[in-house]
Amino acid sequence: MAQSWGYTKQDGPHTWGQIAPIADSGKRQSPIDIIPREATYQEALASRPLRTIYLPQNSKSVINNGHSIQVCIDGADSCLTGGPLEDDRYEIVQFHFHWGTTSKTGSEHTIDGRQYAGELHLVHYNTTKFSSFADAAKSAGGLAVLGVFLTPGSENASLDKLTKLMSRVQNSGDSLDLQDGFDPASLLPADKTRFWSYPGSLTTPPCFESVNLDCLQGPDRSIRTTAGAVPSTEDRKSMLPC
Ligand code: SG7
Ligand code: ZN
């Protein structure tokens, strides 16, 4: 039986190597601390904004998966393209949140060591090269995760729709149908031309190094940090400054 993992002293990231050895031995583990002054600006990407096509009615349910609140999506006909994604098509599968117990903790990625209150992850898989999410999730170049930092501020009507539902999925395994659908694009910043990107991994066990685009918008619109995840020099070079 697979061991359980979590975020406490007993089962937190420093223990994940026991169930997912790559968490300790990997070369491109996410999350990372983004150091803007060490990032390389890539001119060529300035003309390739990220583009998303999402169908609101395909957002099917909200679930508590025991680690996060997640919206499950039937990604058919959706697509993420642009940025460093070359010509492959990525279909959305789900999005979920990472948060903390204070407004100063919660994001997984940090910028110059600074943590944000939360981090939204929109998970996509490469349908050009893979026939299932499971195959893509364990293969290099299989996934693309869009990350958005969350900070406390004025009410966000879109996010509010989801936070209102959270009290109804308080226990692991709870789920409810999204009768009216939900547009994932409504959670994205308007400016799709400014982001950092680097080759990374799933941020939780099994920690597979399959995420070829961990793409983060930041820092103003933006919501955990894992100690010790430092990018290789090579990875740092491919990060894009905001
Ligand atoms: C959350 O983060 C969940 C996981 C997700 C994991 O724990 O949303 O999703 C499921 C279906 O359990 O794992 C394979 C996957 O998407 C890691 O995702 S992340 O790297 O974007 N944080
Ligand atoms: Zn995540």
Side-chain angles (χ1 to χ4, degrees), residues 96 98 108 121 203 224:
H96 63 265
H98 300 272
E108 294 197 301
H121 285 161
T203 62
R224 160 192 94 186

